[in-house]
């Protein structure tokens, strides 16, 4: 009996040591890349859309609810869903997602682009660029001229809202002094703003689209430009022949300093020549500060505060990008991305269907969020998986994302661009609502047709 008791005790010790060894082994095992595909894993996105879009519908203002609050609620939902992992393991999952080279690069580009934008704006580059365009273009081109100036300004500044803020008051003045309808002038401004928002090397949408797909900005610009060029030409021609012009407006007489415009040209040309985007933005910022100091527009602490203001303006989108990456990592681990890809693949039969699916997905998210950058960040990882499956080049996928988001954003009556433009008409004899304006946003409309033509009418080429 004593021998048997000793044997049992020995067995218990062995089993205990075996359990300890197994627990240690399990703890040190790498986490799975993802669980089984499940539609429930997409619940965080649904929570975000309900909170963000729901507040916009209830309060009649889609910018009443800060996007970051809705995204934090979505992140909390994703954390609560992932029950198979401990809290520290969940942190490990999102840390791996944040460690992605594209996410880090995107955030750093956002901040350096903000520094450039703040410096060049404070130096007076925006005002003088507008003045030069108004001075060079004939008065008979008033509406078409607003579009051309908007195109150049937005592609140089990288922001559609900034372009609208600078040009919309001028558009109101031109409308009051000519026979051109205010809605057409404002529509021309928004059209020009969306041109650069989609194409600019320092636009947050371009940055998000290229980084999520892992392609160069130069390659994306080349592909994107040839898709939307017919839309820009058609818009210019339409704005040239539709209005009837009556008199020259005095606003064209303002002076423009070419030195203050030069930083925009430097950034545009350098980026197109393939220079590293960080080098372009840093040198462009230094160039802008030097021009501002030389002309007397900047002095003392203004040299630093203008850069700080520009960087601060990028905080929201940078933090949102980080939070969205965290949410995406948990959604992917829980099998949401795999389920969504499976569902999309079941409805896609060809590369054309894949391109159309990416475009519809992006447009749908933008309709719900009223933010084209956020829609690209959300749709980007899914689009990358689809494009890899159907052998679509990264630069084309980035173009599809950016164009789809820009088309939708330019036609949303509750989007920031249309809302800013509508607010600028408050001083006019007959102020405009967002619905009044979108009928004259010709460029986003033509861009939609060009995108569909690119998807369905051209021959399919592999990478």
């Amino acid at each position: 009996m004593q021998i048997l008791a000793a044997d049992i005790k020995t067995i218990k010790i062995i089993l205990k040591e075996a359990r300890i060894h197994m627990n240690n082994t399990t703890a040190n095992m790498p986490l799975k890349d993802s669980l089984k595909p499940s539609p429930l894993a997409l619940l965080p996105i649904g929570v975000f859309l309900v909170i963000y879009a729901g507040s916009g519908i209830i309060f009649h203002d889609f910018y009443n609810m800060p996007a970051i609050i809705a995204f934090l609620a979505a992140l909390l939902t994703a954390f609560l869903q992932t029950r198979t992992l401990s809290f520290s393991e969940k942190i490990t999952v999102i840390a791996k997602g944040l460690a992605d080279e594209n996410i880090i690069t995107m955030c750093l580009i956002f901040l350096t682009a903000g520094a450039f934008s703040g410096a060049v704006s404070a130096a007076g580059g925006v005002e003088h660029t507008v003045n030069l365009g108004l001075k060079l273009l004939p008065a008979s081109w008033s509406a078409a001229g607003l579009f051309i100036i908007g195109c150049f300004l937005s592609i140089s500044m990288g922001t559609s809202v900034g372009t609208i803020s600078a040009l919309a008051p001028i558009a109101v003045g031109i409308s009051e002094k000519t026979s051109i309808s205010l809605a057409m002038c404002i529509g021309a401004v928004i059209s020009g703003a969306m041109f650069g928002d989609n194409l600019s090397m320092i636009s947050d949408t371009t940055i998000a689209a290229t980084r999520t797909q892992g392609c160069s900005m130069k390659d994306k610009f080349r592909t994107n430009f040839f898709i939307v060029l017919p839309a820009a030409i058609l818009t210019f021609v339409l704005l040239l022949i539709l209005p009837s012009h009556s008199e020259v407006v005095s606003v064209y007489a303002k002076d423009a300093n070419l030195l203050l415009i030069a930083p925009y040209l430097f950034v545009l040309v350098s980026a197109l020549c393939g220079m590293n985007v960080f080098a372009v933005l840093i040198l462009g910022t230094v160039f802008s500060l030097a021009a501002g100091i030389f002309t007397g527009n900047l002095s003392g602490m203004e040299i630093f505060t203008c850069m700080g203001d520009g960087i601060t303006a990028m905080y929201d989108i940078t933090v949102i990008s980080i939070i969205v990456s965290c949410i995406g990592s948990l959604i992917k681990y829980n099998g949401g991305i795999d389920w969504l890809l499976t569902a999309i693949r079941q409805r896609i039969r060809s590369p054309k269907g894949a391109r159309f699916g990416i475009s519809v997905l992006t447009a749908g998210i933008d309709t719900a969020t009223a933010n084209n950058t956020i829609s690209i960040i959300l749709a980007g990882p899914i689009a990358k998986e689809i494009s890899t499956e159907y052998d679509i080049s990264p630069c084309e996928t980035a173009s599809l994302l950016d164009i789809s988001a820009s088309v939708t954003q330019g036609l949303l009556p509750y989007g920031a661009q249309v809302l800013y433009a509508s607010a600028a008409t408050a001083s006019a004899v007959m102020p405009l609502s967002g619905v009044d304006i979108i009928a004259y946003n010709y460029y986003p409309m033509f861009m939609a047709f060009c995108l569909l033509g690119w998807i369905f009418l051209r021959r399919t080429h592999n990478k």
Side-chain angles (χ1 to χ4, degrees):
M1 292 292 292
Q2 291 179 347
I3 296 174
L4 181 60
D7 290 340
I8 293 174
K9 186 177 180 181
T10 303
I11 293 171
K12 286 183 177 179
I13 293 173
I14 293 172
L15 290 174
K16 183 177 180 181
E17 290 178 350
R19 281 197 299 269
I20 294 173
H21 177 72
M22 289 179 64
N23 290 335
N24 290 335
T25 302
T26 303
N28 294 325
M29 285 178 63
L31 296 174
K32 295 180 179 179
D33 291 334
S34 65
L35 301 177
K36 293 182 179 180
S38 171
L40 292 177
L42 299 172
L43 181 61
I45 296 178
V47 169
F48 166 76
L49 294 178
V50 168
I51 294 175
Y52 190 76
S55 66
I57 294 171
I58 293 171
F59 297 106
H60 306 288
D61 181 3
F62 276 76
Y63 296 88
N64 182 65
M65 166 65 71
I68 186 63
I69 300 299
F71 275 120
L72 285 174
L75 179 60
L76 176 61
T77 304
F79 260 85
L80 294 175
Q81 271 192 301
T82 317
R83 297 180 180 179
T84 59
L85 302 179
S86 66
F87 182 82
S88 60
E89 289 174 329
K90 295 172 188 177
I91 295 296
T92 300
V93 171
I94 64 175
K96 288 181 179 179
L98 287 174
D100 184 271
E101 177 186 352
N102 290 324
I103 299 296
I104 300 299
T105 304
M106 180 170 62
C107 291
L108 292 177
I109 292 176
F110 280 148
L111 298 178
T112 49
F116 170 75
S117 179
V120 77
S121 297
V126 175
E127 178 185 354
H128 286 264
T129 300
V130 172
N131 291 343
L132 178 65
L134 293 174
K135 200 169 185 178
L136 293 178
L137 294 170
S140 59
W141 288 23
S142 295
L146 285 170
F147 172 65
I148 294 296
I149 297 168
C151 288
F152 178 77
L153 195 60
S154 61
I155 204 169
S156 303
M157 292 174 64
T159 166
S160 54
V161 172
T163 300
I164 292 168
S165 300
L167 276 182
I170 295 174
V172 173
I174 288 177
S175 175
E176 290 175 349
K177 297 176 182 179
T178 67
S179 59
I180 308 173
S181 74
L182 179 58
M184 181 172 290
C185 289
I186 293 296
V189 170
I190 296 176
S191 292
M194 297 315 299
F195 177 86
D197 190 279
N198 170 230
L199 283 172
S200 175
M201 298 289 186
I202 59 172
S203 167
D204 48 5
T205 58
T206 295
I207 295 168
T210 53
R211 297 320 305 177
T212 57
Q213 303 310 306
C215 67
S216 71
M217 292 188 179
K218 182 176 67 173
D219 290 340
K220 183 263 186 186
F221 178 90
R222 186 187 301 114
T223 302
N224 198 337
F225 180 76
F226 285 111
I227 296 174
V228 302
L229 179 60
I233 294 172
L234 287 171
T235 301
F236 175 76
V237 171
L238 194 62
L239 290 171
L240 194 62
I241 63 176
L242 280 184
S244 59
H245 311 278
S246 59
E247 59 181 270
V248 177
V249 290
S250 59
V251 72
Y252 287 171
K254 292 183 179 180
D255 294 328
N257 190 324
L258 294 178
L259 181 61
L260 295 173
I261 302 170
Y264 283 140
L265 295 174
F266 169 78
V267 167
L268 181 61
V269 173
S270 299
L272 288 174
C273 290
M275 183 184 292
N276 179 274
V277 64
F278 288 110
V280 169
L281 292 172
I282 292 171
L283 292 175
T285 302
V286 173
F287 194 176
S288 300
L289 294 174
I293 294 170
F294 183 81
T295 57
N297 291 344
L298 289 176
S299 62
M301 288 302 296
E302 289 179 329
I303 298 172
F304 303 104
T305 55
C306 66
M307 294 173 57
D309 291 342
I311 293 172
T312 301
M314 286 292 193
Y315 280 177
D316 280 354
I317 192 61
T318 303
V319 173
I320 284 173
S321 299
I322 293 171
I323 298 299
V324 168
S325 176
C326 295
I327 296 170
S329 298
L330 291 173
I331 288 176
K332 184 175 182 179
Y333 179 85
N334 289 330
I337 300 299
D338 288 341
W339 180 87
L340 191 57
L341 287 172
T342 301
I344 292 175
R345 286 184 184 122
Q346 290 175 349
R347 292 165 175 79
I348 293 176
R349 299 291 183 269
S350 66
K352 289 183 179 180
R355 292 180 176 91
F356 183 71
I358 291 170
S359 301
V360 170
L361 174 66
T362 310
I365 296 175
D366 188 72
T367 301
T369 61
N371 189 306
N372 45 347
T373 307
I374 290 176
S375 66
I376 291 171
I377 293 172
L378 283 172
I382 300 171
K384 186 174 180 62
E385 296 284 350
I386 296 173
S387 62
T388 301
E389 175 78 14
Y390 287 92
D391 201 28
I392 302 171
S393 68
C395 61
E396 185 179 354
T397 305
S399 299
L400 293 172
L401 287 168
D402 206 344
I403 294 172
S404 302
S406 295
V407 166
T408 310
Q409 191 69 19
L411 296 175
L412 286 179
Y414 51 85
Q417 289 75 6
V418 176
L419 289 176
Y420 269 89
S422 175
T425 67
S427 60
V429 177
M430 295 184 64
L432 301 175
S433 68
V435 177
D436 296 327
I437 295 171
I438 58 174
Y440 293 88
N441 292 354
Y442 299 132
Y443 179 69
M445 297 179 191
F446 288 136
M447 193 161 46
F449 286 111
C450 289
L451 178 61
L452 292 174
W454 173 270
I455 292 173
F456 293 110
L457 299 182
R458 77 183 192 94
R459 289 185 176 182
T460 301
H461 296 283
N462 293 334
K463 289 191 278 188

